[in-house]
Amino acid sequence: MKQWLDATLKQLNLVETMEQPTGFTRLGYTEEENESLQAFITIAKELGLYIIEDAAGNVIARWETNNGVEEKVAIGSHVDTVTNGGGYDGTAGVLVSLGAIKLLKEEGFTPTHPIDVIVFRSEESSRFGISTVGSKAISGILDPSIGSVTDADGISIKEAVEALGYQWEDFSQAKRTDIKSFVELHIEQGTVIEDAGKQYGVVRGVACPIRLKVKVQGKAGHTGTTPMNKRQDALLAASHLIPFVSETAIKLNATSELPVVATVSTIECKPNAMNVIPGVVELGIDIRSVDDSLKSKVADEIRNKCLTIEKELNCSIEIDVLVHNPSILLDESIQKKLLQAGDHLGYTNLLMDSGAGHDVMNMQQLCPSGLIFIPCRDGLSHHPKEYASIEDLYIGVEIVAQFLRIETGERDEHSRRSSRS
Amino acid sequence: MKQWLDATLKQLNLVETMEQPTGFTRLGYTEEENESLQAFITIAKELGLYIIEDAAGNVIARWETNNGVEEKVAIGSHVDTVTNGGGYDGTAGVLVSLGAIKLLKEEGFTPTHPIDVIVFRSEESSRFGISTVGSKAISGILDPSIGSVTDADGISIKEAVEALGYQWEDFSQAKRTDIKSFVELHIEQGTVIEDAGKQYGVVRGVACPIRLKVKVQGKAGHTGTTPMNKRQDALLAASHLIPFVSETAIKLNATSELPVVATVSTIECKPNAMNVIPGVVELGIDIRSVDDSLKSKVADEIRNKCLTIEKELNCSIEIDVLVHNPSILLDESIQKKLLQAGDHLGYTNLLMDSGAGHDVMNMQQLCPSGLIFIPCRDGLSHHPKEYASIEDLYIGVEIVAQFLRIETGERDEHSRRSSRS
């Protein structure tokens, strides 16, 4: 199995070795994502699964049953990446799902429900600034108006999907009503599991972000001829906000139970020329916590700070809220099953929260859903050096297989009863 | 003359009105710059001037003499602009040069030396990050190796000039050895003249910049999953340097005789994605003073601050010196003539320094050279709202014409003697 995991990981990533100095770039709804999906289809067929592509381009590999049960148990993740990202974010979950099917098939397991391995389209927000497009479609929560949102080349989501042969108008048809439960496995993208000395994590809540766009308007002028006391330097003004954002998160963490993180992650400066004082600067701020009130507190403090900066640095500041999503609490019964699975197999685990968004947060709005984290080296993610060991992937395979045994096995009813007692 | 100035200003700017909400964009060695040069040629021919284009594409309109004198007296400036810049920076000097020729021709003046009105190519650094290309070629100080420097579209200087029909290898042939003296008129791009209640300025020194590229290397990571205390945020580290740069200039100004200005004018952040902690940030810093030791002091303090930031913010910083040009002192005898010209005509003036670089700084390395500043509204420059009044342009015409009377008139020898006495 471990050899199979290693070979299949490379196959899904379309490489001979996972050592890729510039990482992996498979943006959503591109030929690159398609190629990885084709690899997935090849592997799934070898495992005897039946392939369905839905109206949003999500690929589903189904383990059929002959017992007339319509309700499917679903597992899966995504294969798209950020620009120059890693080969594990998303792909690990797809790999482990296939591995769990292989394990169960090899032991002659017969599921009581059809099992769907879903590869969701365009999970990352790198291309269009919008994340989890495929799982939003499946969950029936995709806003059709985002079709006009464009990538850096001016190509809209609608144009991008149509170039691949899909119809944007049909995306709503991808909504599912036949899924009993969903479980995703993902690399942690942090070091909480490692720091706690455990083998895997089961996620309680997904910290969805508040995202702000802060536009600082100063006045452009010649860098050589404008005296220091006559300037309205937008970058100088913005530079006072950047440390404040992280300091505010650190300050709140000292007194709150749940953590909050806040980052100025993007900056655009205009005209960005050596001999011109910056006239306009736009900052993108990402604030996350499972505790929604903490996120709002950080956003409020940023707003107040901007008022001070406007006065002190002679500029005007506009704040737009790009995203304000309440955090998602995952299903408790699924959490229990995922913990039980590890307990049964002898793997140590912990309940934890996710700072990052995942397809599972949309699926939770459709059906009881759960998220398993496996460790990744140094917590590094969205980076060419992102890495999870085959050993940890194998633990994931065993946990997911055990979950499927619980969820779709004949012992299903029995184990539910015993866990309630 | 004022009506002619107004009409010719628009003609050189290729517009019907100077009110242009997005300003003027005529980057160096582009069709847009060419079109403005064609307008210049048309106007110069109407004034009876003879057109020469040199090997670097500089356009020279010559007032010939029949007295066998080879040595030319030169005046002029440039017509290229920054992106979305104003219609006066450079163009005002070209316009006033033509106006002075017109004035002298109309009064029947006969110069003792041929007079060259030079329009220098690509004075602004906006396109290639390299300024005053044309005047460097004429002065014989153009570094041929810069031919490989590229613009934002990846087009090299060599490719750009060859697309317009010039040969990069031939640029050295543009060097002149027949120029007696050179005078440029430019808008001040500041408010020193206005603040002093004077009508024009005569420049002593041009504050050439030290330009630094500061590369802050942190570590990219997921904004949602990386705890605040495990980050190496390159933007956070860079944000500590930005206020320091301006604070250092302000601090030194409090105790120094000559002013120094320092600006963080450019910033690039990678990967600049909403959900990724900034991994690499590059800042461009522009430091200017006529006092070279002050510039070096600012650069030294920035270097020291970077050492502190490296330690405190867990990142590494590299500093490249992009430009380190000693400031240029202009010819004293020309300064005297330019002051005399105003005194004679009844215009008030002051001796001042230039915070910005101009073609004249290269010409000073070839021949005695001078620079006249006229006021511009609010000191605004490199901006669509850049503006100089026709009245101030007319004063410029009179000063330049009077300079030409002194420099190329029969009273030349006499007035030199009297000014020495």
Side-chain angles (χ1 to χ4, degrees):
Chain A
M1 173 62 82
K2 287 183 187 172
Q3 209 172 344
W4 182 89
L5 285 172
D6 185 54
T8 307
L9 174 67
K10 291 170 190 161
Q11 199 177 343
L12 286 169
N13 277 297
L14 311 158
V15 292
E16 301 287 320
T17 165
M18 292 300 287
E19 303 281 328
Q20 300 289 334
T22 58
F24 300 85
T25 302
R26 290 191 293 270
L27 301 185
Y29 293 111
T30 60
E31 282 304 330
E32 290 74 23
E33 189 191 27
N34 268 5
E35 284 171 25
S36 182
L37 286 168
Q38 279 307 318
F40 168 78
I41 289 169
T42 304
I43 301 155
K45 283 183 174 170
E46 282 167 12
L47 293 175
L49 303 180
Y50 167 69
I51 303 298
I52 303 147
E53 188 180 54
D54 73 12
N58 299 301
V59 176
I60 297 132
R62 181 166 299 163
W63 184 350
E64 295 280 15
T65 57
N66 297 318
N67 58 2
V69 173
E70 276 297 316
E71 219 181 22
K72 284 91 183 170
V73 171
I75 54 177
S77 191
H78 62 96
V79 294
D80 67 307
T81 71
V82 300
T83 304
N84 304 123
Y88 297 84
D89 179 345
T91 308
V94 172
L95 173 71
V96 163
S97 298
L98 291 169
I101 301 292
K102 182 176 160 70
L103 194 72
L104 293 176
K105 288 223 165 196
E106 283 172 359
E107 73 186 27
F109 179 76
T110 305
T112 57
H113 295 72
I115 299 174
D116 277 2
V117 179
I118 309 180
V119 187
F120 300 104
R121 279 278 190 170
S122 200
E123 193 269 347
E124 301 289 355
S125 59
S126 299
R127 183 169 178 196
F128 296 106
I130 290 169
S131 68
T132 63
V133 176
S135 57
K136 277 179 182 145
I138 287 184
S139 308
I141 56 172
L142 187 67
D143 174 1
S145 73
I146 65 160
S148 59
V149 173
T150 54
D151 67 10
D153 296 324
I155 299 167
S156 71
I157 296 186
K158 184 172 188 297
E159 288 163 349
V161 305
E162 290 181 358
L164 295 184
Y166 308 107
Q167 293 305 314
W168 180 246
E169 288 69 25
D170 296 346
F171 266 46
S172 58
Q173 296 173 17
K175 179 169 166 36
R176 296 283 292 269
T177 52
D178 60 343
I179 299 182
K180 181 191 178 197
S181 61
F182 172 76
V183 163
E184 179 170 7
L185 175 141
H186 206 278
I187 57 169
E188 182 199 332
Q189 306 178 286
T191 59
V192 172
I193 302 170
E194 190 185 332
D195 293 350
K198 304 291 183 180
Q199 287 173 294
Y200 76 101
V202 172
V203 175
R204 278 177 304 210
V206 178
C208 297
I210 290 181
R211 285 180 175 168
L212 306 176
K213 180 72 82 182
V214 177
K215 183 175 179 178
V216 183
Q217 178 87 49
K219 196 168 186 178
H222 196 292
T223 55
T225 60
T226 315
M228 299 308 292
N229 62 354
K230 293 210 167 182
R231 295 177 171 215
Q232 293 172 257
D233 183 332
L235 181 58
L236 180 62
S239 76
H240 285 78
L241 188 60
I242 298 167
F244 180 83
V245 169
S246 62
E247 283 159 14
T248 303
I250 291 165
K251 184 189 75 183
L252 290 174
N253 280 332
T255 56
S256 58
E257 201 175 320
L258 287 164
V260 60
V261 287
T263 316
V264 182
S265 48
T266 70
I267 185 165
E268 296 290 346
C269 172
K270 286 177 192 170
N272 217 35
M274 255 304 189
N275 60 350
V276 188
I277 296 165
V280 184
V281 167
E282 281 192 3
L283 302 178
I285 303 177
D286 183 282
I287 309 164
R288 306 202 196 198
S289 175
V290 173
D291 180 346
D292 289 329
S293 70
L294 273 177
K295 294 188 317 198
S296 296
K297 218 170 204 170
V298 173
D300 289 346
E301 294 215 13
I302 288 171
R303 279 190 195 90
N304 287 335
K305 180 68 176 179
C306 286
L307 294 177
T308 313
I309 291 173
E310 275 188 321
K311 276 182 222 148
E312 287 176 0
L313 286 135
N314 198 15
C315 58
S316 66
I317 303 182
E318 278 170 45
I319 303 175
D320 279 343
V321 179
L322 298 184
V323 173
H324 187 161
N325 290 338
S327 296
I328 305 283
L329 295 175
L330 297 175
D331 185 77
E332 284 190 20
S333 69
I334 301 283
Q335 286 169 41
K336 214 170 269 179
K337 289 175 190 170
L338 294 174
L339 292 170
Q340 276 172 9
D343 294 345
H344 176 81
L345 295 161
Y347 293 126
T348 58
N349 52 34
L350 79 165
L351 270 175
M352 60 184 294
D353 294 308
S354 171
H358 297 289
D359 289 307
V360 72
M361 68 195 179
N362 300 324
M363 295 303 283
Q364 173 61 38
Q365 304 191 46
L366 186 74
C367 63
S369 297
L371 178 59
I372 302 162
F373 274 164
I374 60 168
C376 60
R377 189 173 56 200
D378 299 334
L380 206 60
S381 178
H382 287 183
H383 191 283
K385 293 200 169 157
E386 181 181 279
Y387 172 79
S389 72
I390 294 295
E391 286 66 32
D392 286 330
L393 289 164
Y394 181 71
I395 292 172
V397 168
E398 290 215 280
I399 303 292
V400 172
Q402 181 61 17
F403 167 76
L404 291 173
R405 284 189 203 102
I406 297 170
E407 192 74 352
T408 77
E410 305 210 340
R411 290 176 303 160
D412 191 11
E413 278 312 297
H414 171 73
S415 58
R416 274 200 199 170
R417 269 185 216 126
S418 64
S419 75
R420 275 181 198 146
S421 65
Chain B
M1 173 63 79
K2 287 181 187 172
Q3 210 173 345
W4 181 89
L5 285 172
D6 185 53
T8 307
L9 174 66
K10 291 170 189 161
Q11 200 177 342
L12 287 168
N13 277 297
L14 310 158
V15 291
E16 301 286 320
T17 166
M18 293 299 288
E19 303 282 329
Q20 299 288 334
T22 58
F24 300 86
T25 301
R26 291 191 294 269
L27 301 184
Y29 292 110
T30 60
E31 282 303 328
E32 289 74 22
E33 189 192 30
N34 268 6
E35 284 171 25
S36 181
L37 287 169
Q38 278 308 317
F40 168 78
I41 290 169
T42 303
I43 302 156
K45 282 183 175 170
E46 281 167 12
L47 294 174
L49 304 180
Y50 168 69
I51 304 298
I52 303 147
E53 188 181 54
D54 74 12
N58 298 301
V59 177
I60 297 130
R62 182 165 297 164
W63 184 349
E64 294 281 15
T65 58
N66 296 318
N67 59 3
V69 173
E70 276 297 318
E71 219 181 24
K72 284 90 181 171
V73 170
I75 54 179
S77 192
H78 62 96
V79 293
D80 67 307
T81 71
V82 299
T83 304
N84 304 123
Y88 298 84
D89 179 344
T91 309
V94 172
L95 173 71
V96 163
S97 298
L98 291 169
I101 300 291
K102 181 175 160 71
L103 193 75
L104 293 176
K105 288 223 165 195
E106 283 173 356
E107 73 185 29
F109 178 76
T110 305
T112 57
H113 296 71
I115 299 174
D116 277 2
V117 179
I118 308 179
V119 187
F120 299 105
R121 278 280 190 172
S122 200
E123 193 268 347
E124 302 289 356
S125 59
S126 299
R127 183 169 177 195
F128 296 106
I130 288 168
S131 67
T132 65
V133 176
S135 57
K136 277 178 181 144
I138 286 184
S139 308
I141 56 172
L142 187 68
D143 174 0
S145 74
I146 64 161
S148 59
V149 173
T150 53
D151 66 13
D153 297 323
I155 300 168
S156 71
I157 296 186
K158 184 171 187 298
E159 287 163 349
V161 306
E162 291 180 358
L164 295 184
Y166 309 106
Q167 294 303 317
W168 180 247
E169 289 70 25
D170 296 346
F171 266 46
S172 59
Q173 295 172 17
K175 179 170 165 38
R176 297 283 292 269
T177 54
D178 60 344
I179 299 181
K180 181 189 176 198
S181 60
F182 172 75
V183 162
E184 180 171 6
L185 176 140
H186 206 279
I187 56 169
E188 184 201 329
Q189 306 178 285
T191 59
V192 172
I193 303 170
E194 191 186 331
D195 293 349
K198 305 291 184 179
Q199 289 174 293
Y200 76 101
V202 173
V203 174
R204 281 177 302 210
V206 179
C208 297
I210 290 180
R211 285 180 175 168
L212 307 176
K213 180 72 82 181
V214 176
K215 184 176 179 177
V216 183
Q217 178 87 50
K219 196 168 187 180
H222 197 290
T223 55
T225 59
T226 316
M228 298 308 293
N229 62 353
K230 292 214 168 178
R231 296 177 171 217
Q232 293 172 258
D233 183 333
L235 181 57
L236 179 63
S239 76
H240 284 79
L241 188 60
I242 297 168
F244 180 84
V245 169
S246 63
E247 283 159 15
T248 303
I250 291 165
K251 183 189 77 184
L252 290 173
N253 280 332
T255 56
S256 59
E257 201 175 322
L258 287 164
V260 60
V261 286
T263 316
V264 181
S265 48
T266 69
I267 185 164
E268 296 290 346
C269 172
K270 285 177 193 170
N272 217 36
M274 255 300 188
N275 59 350
V276 190
I277 296 165
V280 184
V281 168
E282 281 193 3
L283 302 178
I285 303 177
D286 183 283
I287 309 164
R288 305 202 196 197
S289 174
V290 172
D291 181 345
D292 289 330
S293 70
L294 273 178
K295 293 188 314 199
S296 295
K297 218 171 206 169
V298 174
D300 289 345
E301 295 214 14
I302 288 171
R303 279 188 196 90
N304 287 336
K305 180 70 177 177
C306 286
L307 294 177
T308 314
I309 291 173
E310 273 188 323
K311 274 181 226 151
E312 289 177 0
L313 286 135
N314 198 14
C315 58
S316 67
I317 303 183
E318 278 170 44
I319 304 176
D320 278 345
V321 179
L322 298 183
V323 173
H324 187 162
N325 290 336
S327 297
I328 304 284
L329 295 176
L330 297 174
D331 185 77
E332 286 190 18
S333 71
I334 301 282
Q335 284 170 42
K336 213 170 268 176
K337 287 174 191 170
L338 294 174
L339 292 170
Q340 275 172 12
D343 294 344
H344 176 80
L345 295 162
Y347 293 125
T348 57
N349 53 35
L350 79 164
L351 270 175
M352 60 185 294
D353 294 309
S354 171
H358 296 289
D359 289 308
V360 71
M361 69 195 180
N362 299 324
M363 295 303 283
Q364 173 63 38
Q365 304 192 46
L366 186 75
C367 63
S369 297
L371 178 58
I372 302 162
F373 274 164
I374 60 168
C376 60
R377 189 172 56 198
D378 300 334
L380 206 60
S381 179
H382 287 184
H383 192 284
K385 293 201 169 157
E386 182 180 278
Y387 172 80
S389 70
I390 294 295
E391 286 65 33
D392 286 331
L393 290 164
Y394 181 71
I395 292 172
V397 168
E398 289 215 281
I399 303 292
V400 172
Q402 181 62 15
F403 167 76
L404 290 174
R405 284 189 203 103
I406 297 170
E407 192 73 352
T408 78
E410 304 214 338
R411 290 176 306 160
D412 192 11
E413 277 314 296
H414 170 71
S415 58
R416 276 200 198 169
R417 269 186 215 126
S418 64
S419 77
R420 274 177 199 152
S421 66

